Amino acid sequence: MSSTQRRNKKLTNHNTDVMCRDAKTDSWLQTTIYRIHLWTGLYMLNAWERAAFQIFGCISGLAFLLYVGVFVSGVIEGIRQAAGDVADDGTASEL
């Protein structure tokens, strides 16, 4: 087969979504998880390794959200103090 013929040949049955799973019976969530595993390379891990990786990711995500929440509340408190709405001791000032 020449290089021109190879370039012009249409790809058939090379899509992993079609070859490796039953797309008609899998739910949207199963399809999304499957594609994430392919995209990130998690499909190469054993089931217990994937579970450990996902638990670590969830804990890291929760820690990040907690950090963002504390940061945002500090920013809001700083803005209120700068505006004079809250006294330095944290109580609301009377207008």
Side-chain angles (χ1 to χ4, degrees):
M1 182 180 289
S2 70
S3 62
T4 306
Q5 288 173 330
R6 266 187 270 136
R7 259 185 271 131
N8 293 334
K9 183 180 177 187
K10 295 189 181 212
L11 295 176
T12 57
N13 294 330
H14 288 89
N15 186 348
T16 57
D17 287 349
V18 175
M19 292 176 61
C20 299
R21 47 182 289 282
D22 189 4
K24 293 178 183 175
T25 60
D26 287 349
S27 69
W28 176 85
L29 181 62
Q30 287 174 324
T31 302
T32 303
I33 290 172
Y34 173 78
R35 288 181 180 166
I36 289 171
H37 286 176
L38 280 179
W39 184 69
T40 58
L42 290 175
Y43 68 93
M44 294 183 286
L45 300 176
N46 293 332
W48 72 269
E49 293 171 327
R50 265 190 302 240
F53 185 82
Q54 290 171 347
I55 289 169
F56 176 76
C58 288
I59 291 171
S60 299
L62 288 173
F64 175 75
L65 289 175
L66 178 64
Y67 174 78
V68 168
V70 169
F71 179 79
V72 168
S73 66
V75 168
I76 291 171
E77 184 179 336
I79 291 171
R80 285 184 179 163
Q81 283 183 358
D85 293 342
V86 177
D88 289 336
D89 62 358
T91 59
S93 60
E94 296 179 20
L95 297 177

